[in-house]
Amino acid sequence: MIEKAKSILAAAEEKMQDAVVFLEEDLKTFRAGKANPMVFNNVLVDYYGTLTPVPQVASVTAPDAKTLLIQPWEKKMIPIIEKAIMDANIGLTPQNNGEHIHCTIPPLTEDRRKDLLKKAKSAGENSKVVIRNARRDAIDQIKKVQKEGLAEDMAKDFEDSVQKATDTATKKVDELVSAKEKEILTV
């Protein structure tokens, strides 16, 4: 019974950690005023009939703080990547010189900052929902194991451990969102 409860706790902690990691990666794609090649991770292009993220069909670099440079591995991808960037509506205007695509990072407008703040808070809240769902599922499973014969005090200890993991993950989510908010608000 104890082993079963331990595996339930481990699975819940893993789900919570996955939610935090997902949020961390998602927040990296937010354009917050300085060049970050990860803004193109969610921009998909049609590559031989398959929707593929830009970094998988081109080299994306930031030669300086205000410029992103995309060098497609195939020249015929240049117009396709340009169109995908425009369609993605990430606030960048691509310019190509026949060899590669330059995107100059414009300063963020007040409206864009507010929009990014809303998105960051929403992403953080979505992660917290996943974390709370993992907590609820784990506690429900521990209660079932308790009915199967796990001692009540042991079940309570496991529930406390689940709550501690939840608190830790939620705190990390708050820290990530807070750090992104500071980055967005920094002019």
Side-chain angles (χ1 to χ4, degrees):
M1 291 295 152
I2 291 175
E3 291 305 315
K4 198 171 188 180
K6 282 182 182 177
S7 70
I8 292 168
L9 176 63
E13 287 175 339
E14 187 177 339
K15 280 182 190 170
M16 292 175 191
Q17 186 58 35
D18 288 348
V20 170
V21 169
F22 180 82
L23 175 66
E24 201 168 5
E25 292 303 311
D26 190 31
L27 290 178
K28 287 179 184 175
T29 65
F30 288 33
R31 186 177 65 80
K34 61 181 182 228
N36 179 354
M38 295 192 107
V39 297
F40 296 116
N41 286 2
N42 294 336
V43 178
L44 302 176
V45 295
D46 183 4
Y47 187 64
Y48 296 106
T50 304
L51 287 179
T52 309
V54 169
Q56 292 183 15
V57 298
S59 167
V60 182
T61 57
D64 60 58
K66 294 289 180 196
T67 310
L68 288 168
L69 181 67
I70 303 168
Q71 291 181 297
W73 294 312
E74 299 174 33
K75 278 192 182 177
K76 69 178 185 164
M77 290 302 293
I78 290 175
I80 298 169
I81 292 172
E82 266 188 308
K83 183 177 182 333
I85 292 169
M86 295 300 284
D87 292 347
N89 194 20
I90 55 175
L92 298 175
T93 306
Q95 302 152 347
N96 89 63
N97 63 5
E99 294 286 318
H100 25 65
I101 301 168
H102 286 274
C103 291
T104 304
I105 308 295
L108 289 176
T109 63
E110 193 61 34
D111 288 343
R112 183 72 177 145
R113 285 180 199 278
K114 286 178 184 172
D115 187 42
L116 283 173
L117 284 173
K118 277 185 198 168
K119 277 182 162 179
K121 287 178 181 176
S122 173
E125 197 49 49
N126 290 342
S127 291
K128 286 181 182 180
V129 168
V130 170
I131 291 166
R132 288 191 294 264
N133 286 344
R135 175 190 63 196
R136 184 196 63 229
D137 294 346
I139 288 176
D140 289 349
Q141 289 175 351
I142 288 171
K143 285 181 180 172
K144 283 180 188 170
V145 172
Q146 182 184 350
K147 286 178 183 169
E148 293 170 10
L150 182 68
E152 190 175 330
D153 59 337
M154 291 292 280
K156 186 72 179 137
D157 289 345
F158 280 109
E159 287 179 22
D160 290 345
S161 296
V162 169
Q163 185 58 48
K164 283 179 188 161
T166 302
D167 293 343
T168 302
T170 303
K171 184 175 182 236
K172 182 71 175 151
V173 166
D174 289 338
E175 289 169 2
L176 289 170
V177 171
S178 176
K180 185 49 98 171
E181 284 177 6
K182 281 184 190 143
E183 186 182 331
I184 290 169
L185 293 173
T186 303
V187 179

